[in-house]
Amino acid sequence: MDLVPALDEPLKKVLGPATAKVMAEHLGLHTVGDLLHHYPRRYEERGQLTHLADLPMDEHVTVVARVADARLHTFASARAPRGKGQRLEVTITDGSGRLQLVFFGNGVHKPLKELLPGTPAMFAGKVSLFNRRLQLAHPAYELLRGDGEETVETWAGALIPIYPATAKLESWKIGKAVQTVLPSAQEAVDPLPPALREGRGLLPLPEALLKIHRPHTKADIAAARDRLKWDEAFVLQVALARRRHADAQLPAVPRRPRPDGLLAAFDDRLPFTLTEGQRNVSREIFDDLATEHPMHRLLQGEVGSGKTMVALRAMLAVVDAGGQAAMLAPTEVLAQQHHRSIVEMMGELAQGGMLGGAEHATKVVLLTGSMSAAARRQALLDLVTGEAGIVIGTHALIEDKVQFHDLGLVVVDEQHRFGVEQRDALRGKGKQPPHLLVMTATPIPRTVAMTVFGDLETSVLDQLPAGRSPIASHVVPAADKPRFLARAWERVREEVANGHQVYVVCPRIGDEESDPRSATKKPSPEDEAERRPPLAVLDVADELAKGPLRGLRVEVLHGRMHPDDKDAVMRRFAAGETDVLVATTVIEVGVNVPNATVMVIMDADRFGVSQLHQLRGRVGRGSAPGLCLLVTEMPEASPARQRLNAVAATLDGFELSRIDLEQRREGDVLGQAQSGARTSLKVLAVIEDEEIIAEAREEAAKVVAADPELASLPGLRTALDALLDEEREQYLEKG
């Protein structure tokens, strides 16, 4: 990578090995350029103090406040039995709220001298609760007095930048390190084409970097953020535009269904009419399949909107045109479920080459890792000869041994569970690149689709098929109101008495080995209250069968069971031979039992928003209304409870995905883990900056169309190289 040498300089040369090591390990910062792009999270104004009442529990915070009073107490303890123990309690205030600081033992001497009433300072530490009051124990602090030369210099500005920091490295230390490298900002190469920057009135990059780290006014911050948001949006969209441009150059075999073929025969035997949404999305897909370049389409829709039906019709169209279609599912349970439901929907059309098979029939085979050797051999033979038009499988489909006669379409179910390498390996099985349809049942806001799946065209299914029943959702606060939980089990018994079935989902299986290291570590009181182990399937099933659900037929299902056992349990549940299925999230997607009407989610606060929405979608699939009970022990005011209330309040997956994203932040939008731990987006917020992303996408498409290799824009190439380190470059390559 030919990055600018000054910005490429390792931090250890500039800041010394000790500081550089902490920055690398805890903040992922390795070079001068990395540090310049570590922007302040917010700014404190010298005269204005932090709002202490709003501090989050258990988080590492930096606050600017004034000392109200300081008191030294002595006490007796095991270490100081004669009452010689010392504890310094300092109260700080922002004029409205107060916060207690505590220092113990030898650590009291320095703060006792320095933290005098009226002193303004910055304090950093972890917020905890003691005797029902917020406190910081042994916080690090920096006086805002302006005594020595260096402090005057550092804190002269009216706006104090507060950086994302860690317990090992406080915000003001990061600020001083930035001060050291700030002169290098002049060497930053601007990635934006000059015409674009001037046309939109954006600051040059070196000026934006100076203003974000050392603003004199709020207008400086706004101008710098506007500019840096554009950088992030534009460079990312250029990466995606180049990917789309490269895909458009690839050849593919056009696949058009025959007017009197398999698809027409299938449509004729459907017992219901397709929704308007299903017809429109199918039309978009058929148009793509008819072109000479591979389709790259994302099909997203509400839980239960009939995505599988749309995907099946696309697969049948490809079989009609002489090709084969492969559907990749994330788990064996789901692959078996898809295979079963597709064979049922197709009837005699799925019996190609067999007695009783219809005229246009094909073979639908299942391929998973746990099949017997004989069944596997037969499936592989059916694929290589072309006898099987449709194959449904797990990762087993990707192995080298699997050969296709003519792979025309790959359908990937639940995209977020598949590594990009796996999608790519499957695409490599075609003589020419096959068409690709990616399905996700977690609705994604438009801007995220433009960013995360920017190399795919998007189709949205937002109508539910006729006959779907509404689902009522309620939070059950088990700790505050135990009788609510008792009532929940009564409701379960009532539903079973009415001939229906119930899912109970737990976060854990329950036969895990306990970690010997964790047993020796004594948990803190806060940890103990917060961190009892999540409820487990095996324990809960046992308690329910002996207690509130005594007499009902209770079975368990989890990922560590033998595949044949899992399949047998699912078949019994689908046939109505089991009343209550206690399971892990293996039932999260694609499981379809119309007679199941209740979903009880234990420790619901341990699941993400989209996961809860997915699980809830397993009920209400028949004519009887569905009920989802979210059981939690979290207190009413906690963020976890607010999240559950949001899920209970709406069935709109797109709305929930916005809430989910706002809470998690964007995750590393390019990385495969869309968690929230690390983000390549520092100032761009995918939800709030919808307009910038849409405009950047348009601008990026123009730039790439005119100059796909970006030969005339070396600054943009450099920024692209920095964004697309090895792993991300591959991620986009394989998107």
Side-chain angles (χ1 to χ4, degrees):
M1 285 202 315
D2 64 347
L3 268 180
V4 186
L7 299 196
D8 229 4
E9 188 85 44
L11 286 173
K12 87 171 160 248
K13 278 194 181 165
V14 189
L15 304 175
T19 308
K21 185 169 187 257
V22 177
M23 286 196 168
E25 284 175 8
H26 294 274
L27 297 167
L29 308 176
H30 303 277
T31 64
V32 168
D34 291 345
L35 182 53
L36 285 174
H37 288 295
H38 186 71
Y39 310 131
R41 174 176 284 156
R42 57 190 171 85
Y43 301 84
E44 290 292 359
E45 286 185 72
R46 188 43 70 67
Q48 266 191 351
L49 300 176
T50 315
H51 214 51
L52 296 179
D54 301 339
L55 293 179
M57 280 290 294
D58 284 341
E59 283 197 25
H60 198 82
V61 299
T62 302
V63 298
V64 177
R66 201 174 288 280
V67 177
D69 62 44
R71 292 184 192 151
L72 188 63
H73 302 272
T74 54
F75 61 92
S77 71
R79 285 190 180 169
R82 295 188 189 160
K84 293 278 178 65
Q86 291 189 311
R87 180 174 80 246
L88 175 65
E89 290 180 2
V90 179
T91 307
I92 59 172
T93 177
D94 59 358
S96 57
R98 292 181 156 235
L99 180 65
Q100 187 98 33
L101 314 177
V102 259
F103 301 89
F104 292 100
N106 294 336
V108 304
H109 305 308
K110 185 167 176 276
L112 184 60
K113 283 208 303 271
E114 295 182 337
L115 297 179
L116 304 172
T119 308
M122 297 173 82
F123 303 92
K126 189 175 176 188
V127 183
S128 58
L129 205 56
F130 182 71
N131 281 346
R132 305 204 157 210
R133 282 162 59 194
L134 290 181
Q135 72 164 26
L136 298 182
H138 280 291
Y141 61 88
E142 175 89 357
L143 302 179
L144 295 181
R145 271 272 176 76
D147 305 337
E149 238 346 85
E150 180 239 14
T151 328
V152 174
E153 201 48 49
T154 314
W155 305 112
L159 292 161
I160 303 167
I162 306 289
Y163 288 90
T166 74
K168 295 268 192 294
L169 198 64
E170 293 85 17
S171 169
W172 53 87
K173 289 187 181 159
I174 297 171
K176 287 174 185 173
V178 169
Q179 194 69 26
T180 309
V181 301
L182 207 49
S184 307
Q186 294 304 333
E187 315 245 352
V189 175
D190 205 319
L192 295 189
L196 188 158
R197 196 187 77 230
E198 288 153 19
R200 294 185 176 274
L202 299 167
L203 297 178
L205 182 57
E207 191 182 334
L209 289 171
L210 287 171
K211 285 188 169 169
I212 197 126
H213 290 294
R214 288 291 167 266
H216 293 299
T217 63
K218 286 184 173 171
D220 284 353
I221 301 171
R225 288 178 70 85
D226 284 351
R227 161 63 219 241
L228 295 167
K229 279 181 180 187
W230 255 95
D231 276 19
E232 287 180 6
F234 181 71
V235 174
L236 182 51
Q237 291 301 335
V238 165
L240 294 164
R242 291 185 72 202
R243 178 78 203 104
R244 288 195 303 275
H245 182 270
D247 281 341
Q249 313 306 310
L250 293 172
V253 179
R255 311 277 179 176
R256 296 184 185 86
R258 297 206 305 276
D260 57 347
L262 187 56
L263 177 63
F266 174 74
D267 283 349
D268 287 345
R269 55 169 287 137
L270 278 182
F272 52 82
T273 52
L274 297 173
T275 64
E276 192 184 346
Q278 286 173 321
R279 285 200 299 273
N280 292 343
V281 169
S282 290
R283 202 170 306 122
E284 291 172 351
I285 291 171
F286 292 155
D287 288 348
D288 281 2
L289 289 174
T291 64
E292 297 186 352
H293 303 293
M295 163 171 83
H296 289 99
R297 190 166 280 280
L298 171 70
L299 169 59
Q300 58 162 332
E302 267 303 354
V303 176
S305 57
K307 291 180 294 297
T308 311
M309 172 60 70
V310 169
L312 175 56
R313 293 184 73 240
M315 294 198 286
L316 295 173
V318 169
V319 176
D320 257 354
Q324 290 169 294
M327 183 183 235
L328 203 48
T331 63
E332 292 214 349
V333 168
L334 197 50
Q336 288 163 340
Q337 178 89 21
H338 274 319
H339 180 254
R340 205 161 39 241
S341 64
I342 283 175
V343 168
E344 274 169 24
M345 282 196 273
M346 288 176 63
E348 72 267 21
L349 297 175
Q351 295 170 2
M354 293 181 243
L355 273 172
E359 178 196 352
H360 296 295
T362 186
K363 220 174 187 182
V364 180
V365 301
L366 176 68
L367 191 61
T368 64
S370 63
M371 288 166 67
S372 70
R376 204 180 154 71
R377 256 199 313 277
Q378 184 58 51
L380 291 171
L381 188 65
D382 288 342
L383 286 179
V384 77
T385 58
E387 188 85 6
I390 294 176
V391 58
I392 294 143
T394 53
H395 299 65
L397 275 181
I398 295 162
E399 290 170 13
D400 294 342
K401 287 197 213 61
V402 181
Q403 301 288 322
F404 288 86
H405 177 65
D406 178 15
L407 181 61
L409 170 67
V410 175
V411 178
V412 179
D413 189 19
E414 282 308 295
Q415 189 275 343
H416 60 277
R417 297 174 180 223
F418 265 108
V420 171
E421 289 77 15
Q422 295 151 338
R423 264 159 51 192
D424 197 47
L426 191 53
R427 269 168 50 177
K429 301 254 177 211
K431 296 191 173 75
Q432 284 192 333
H435 298 281
L436 175 70
L437 179 65
V438 171
M439 299 200 293
T440 171
T442 310
I444 304 165
R446 172 173 163 259
T447 41
V448 183
M450 277 195 296
T451 315
V452 182
F453 302 110
D455 57 336
L456 303 175
E457 299 300 326
T458 306
S459 295
V460 178
L461 270 178
D462 46 14
Q463 276 178 305
L464 289 187
R468 274 299 161 86
S469 303
I471 303 170
S473 305
H474 303 284
V475 176
V476 178
D480 314 351
K481 300 180 178 163
R483 67 174 194 286
F484 278 38
L485 184 58
R487 175 71 189 112
W489 300 126
E490 284 169 21
R491 278 291 285 120
V492 166
R493 295 193 78 97
E494 288 162 16
E495 285 293 316
V496 172
N498 288 333
H500 295 303
Q501 291 161 281
V502 177
Y503 296 103
V504 177
V505 173
C506 306
R508 198 166 71 87
I509 297 173
D511 56 359
E512 294 87 347
E513 296 275 316
S514 62
D515 183 352
R517 285 167 307 182
S518 58
T520 54
K521 227 171 74 182
K522 192 166 169 17
S524 70
E526 301 98 281
D527 284 352
E528 217 155 66
E530 177 73 335
R531 294 262 61 96
R532 71 163 172 71
L535 291 170
V537 166
L538 300 176
D539 307 342
V540 168
D542 195 42
E543 281 168 32
L544 291 177
K546 289 176 180 163
L549 303 186
R550 201 186 305 65
L552 302 187
R553 297 169 297 176
V554 178
E555 288 212 56
V556 300
L557 178 71
H558 58 74
R560 280 215 290 277
M561 290 165 64
H562 187 278
D564 292 347
D565 296 341
K566 280 194 276 201
D567 197 38
V569 168
M570 271 318 295
R571 281 175 189 276
R572 285 197 292 275
F573 190 65
E577 294 162 21
T578 305
D579 299 320
V580 179
L581 185 62
V582 184
T584 55
T585 53
V586 290
I587 60 147
E588 183 185 340
V589 283
V591 173
N592 187 17
V593 179
N595 191 45
T597 53
V598 182
M599 166 68 66
V600 183
I601 304 175
M602 308 302 291
D603 276 346
D605 47 89
R606 313 254 179 166
F607 298 95
V609 170
S610 59
Q611 230 181 352
L612 293 169
H613 185 55
Q614 274 297 324
L615 287 166
R616 170 170 62 186
R618 300 303 109 213
V619 296
R621 298 176 86 85
S623 52
L627 173 65
C628 176
L629 300 174
L630 305 166
V631 180
T632 178
E633 290 187 1
M634 285 309 210
E636 188 141 13
S638 63
R641 264 292 274 287
Q642 289 159 10
R643 203 172 66 229
L644 295 181
N645 291 340
V647 174
T650 178
L651 290 170
D652 180 343
F654 286 91
E655 177 55 31
L656 286 174
S657 67
R658 287 183 84 95
I659 293 168
D660 189 26
L661 198 72
E662 278 160 11
Q663 289 184 339
R664 281 188 313 154
R665 294 288 297 145
E666 283 76 25
D668 189 343
V669 168
L670 279 185
Q672 292 169 25
Q674 285 159 32
S675 60
R678 224 185 117 227
T679 171
S680 57
L681 300 185
K682 297 186 177 74
V683 284
L684 189 73
V686 169
I687 293 268
E688 293 151 33
D689 299 319
E690 185 161 348
E691 232 168 89
I692 294 179
I693 293 170
E695 288 173 18
R697 185 179 162 109
E698 276 177 36
E699 294 278 6
K702 282 186 221 159
V703 166
V704 171
D707 178 5
E709 292 306 308
L710 309 179
S712 60
L713 296 166
L716 179 54
R717 273 221 70 107
T718 299
L720 211 54
D721 289 342
L723 173 76
L724 305 179
D725 51 34
E726 289 301 306
E727 172 203 3
R728 296 209 188 118
E729 179 71 87
Q730 286 172 352
Y731 177 84
L732 285 175
E733 273 309 302
K734 295 171 178 174

